[in-house]
Amino acid sequence: QTWCPEDMPGRTFRQASWLREEVGYCTFGINAGYDRSHWLKRYREDIGCTGFHVLGPDWTNKPQTFDRGVPGGMADWLHTRFNAETLSQIKENGDRFAPFEFDFLVSLNQSDQGLLKDNLQQFPLPSYSHDAYHFSMLCPAQPFTKSFHRERDVQVWKEAGIDAMYYDISANNLIKICTREDHHHTPGGGCEIARAYQDIFRDTRSALEEASETVIPLGSEQISEELLPCLDFYQARAWAQPASTLETWPIRPQMWSGQARMIPLFDYVYHDVGPVRMDGWGKLVEETGELFYYTVAKVYLWGGIYQINHEYSPMEALEGRENPASEHYFRFDPQGYKYSPERARHLGLFAAARLGDAKVFWAYGRLLAMPELDLPRKDYTWYHYNHGQKDSSYKASGTYPAEAVFASLWQGAQGGRALFLANCDDRQHTLSQQALVGQLQANDAKLYRFGQHGKAVLVKNFGMTSSFPLEARGLYMLKI
């Protein structure tokens, strides 16, 4: 593609290097309008590195919620209502943040109803999609939409000093069709609508860069190929399977049983030129089960950043207190599950590795096809409560059969290869050297174990041993 030549000149993620080099984990959905500094401070202390926070949608002048309405015209969006203590703690931590924004979704029962109606996207009937599209969305091909998108986001930066922007139920979720005959496009869909979304993101990015004199990365819910040149990060939930739903809900029984498996095909193709993936749908509580350790490994070893998610349920209980539903944008049930410092520190091991000696692979490298390895297996317990109470997956639980040792193979940005091995089990496993040598041509490889601060410590010369132990929940790099 024209936008991903070998040296990738001008690629935005190369300029906004903090997104790949300075944040080891992320959160999603922490309230923007209320004081959540207590949790943010604790994350920084226990995880041990800086993070990226996509704050929840409750920062708008009129409510922006999941189930009780969204803003209409500009007066409903601005001025912003970010909590000063939350933003101060993010700055004190050295963290970065982005506001959650339904960038094309508008309400028709608040301000500027007539103007908004004139510029609405009209979806086809039938919708050609699992989604019925019962949304009031602005058509991207309209000049009004482009101007509205740009001016609103620039003002959000001026008021809150945002580091990035995040868009939900946005261009990647929507079918690229508008059947209006009175709009600035041919009635129907296809390239005109897709290019209009591209133009809006480029225009908004340019305006933000002009205002801030720096790069403001843009991100979205999900990702699609035609928007890869325009976006820097995206939120997904598929790698948290079976303890999540959404992307893979049509095959949920197969995901729960292990009959269907995730394959990181998108990352095999696009990781070294594409946006950063936020995934994991996580909570730092013991109640979610042993699958937590497998999911953390899967997210990082496939090149993503683990996401602590608080969209549909309260944050972990700290000192007996969790955030109340009355302050949230979704009416969840209280849970009372206690924050786990041990799980935070385990997450910190992988986060530090991404910022340390694994960075050349996980942040900038190319994911390679895995050789067939005979790895030990385990049945992981899991429990899923971070979802709507009416969904069949709410408070679902079970066991999930998968590898006890998760592995991935990478080519570094400056050459060289590395096999990463994460023991997700609470007991030691021993692997055979001979089983790997033939597959990887790794006679002269060296085995490293990750410790604090992302440094990999040499364990042994790999070619001089017949077998090697992997400590319980340890992270290793076989550098070839």
Side-chain angles (χ1 to χ4, degrees), residues 83-233:
N83 181 269
E85 286 78 12
T86 293
L87 296 193
S88 177
Q89 188 63 55
I90 289 174
K91 184 176 181 180
E92 182 179 328
N93 288 353
D95 296 345
R96 308 281 185 149
F97 83 98
F100 176 117
E101 181 181 275
F102 291 120
D103 59 330
F104 295 105
L105 182 61
V106 292
S107 170
L108 298 181
N109 58 10
Q110 298 194 58
S111 64
D112 297 337
Q113 294 180 41
L115 181 60
L116 296 177
K117 287 179 180 177
D118 288 343
N119 291 280
L120 286 185
Q121 183 175 357
Q122 183 171 290
F123 296 106
L125 290 174
S127 65
Y128 307 107
S129 171
H130 285 296
D131 291 308
Y133 293 117
H134 297 307
F135 304 129
S136 296
M137 311 293 295
L138 294 175
C139 174
Q142 290 293 89
F144 167 81
T145 304
K146 188 175 184 179
S147 174
F148 185 86
H149 199 280
R150 177 183 66 247
E151 293 174 11
R152 174 188 55 198
D153 289 5
V154 168
Q155 187 61 29
V156 173
W157 174 83
K158 289 179 179 179
E159 294 185 20
I162 61 173
D163 298 297
M165 283 297 306
Y166 168 81
Y167 306 124
D168 207 83
I169 312 184
S170 188
N172 292 303
N173 304 65
L174 301 173
I175 196 167
K176 307 303 186 288
I177 296 176
C178 179
T179 60
R180 293 278 293 260
E181 298 189 3
D182 58 339
H183 278 188
H184 288 68
H185 60 79
T186 306
C191 289
E192 285 180 85
I193 301 300
R195 287 171 180 161
Y197 283 121
Q198 293 174 335
D199 288 344
I200 283 179
F201 291 142
R202 291 188 178 112
D203 182 59
T204 297
R205 181 195 299 279
S206 176
L208 285 168
E209 291 180 2
E210 182 178 351
S212 65
E213 298 183 346
T214 188
V215 174
I216 304 293
L218 306 183
S220 67
E221 182 181 20
Q222 304 179 332
I223 192 65
S224 54
E225 289 175 307
E226 75 271 16
L227 292 170
L228 282 168
C230 310
L231 298 171
D232 305 274
F233 65 95

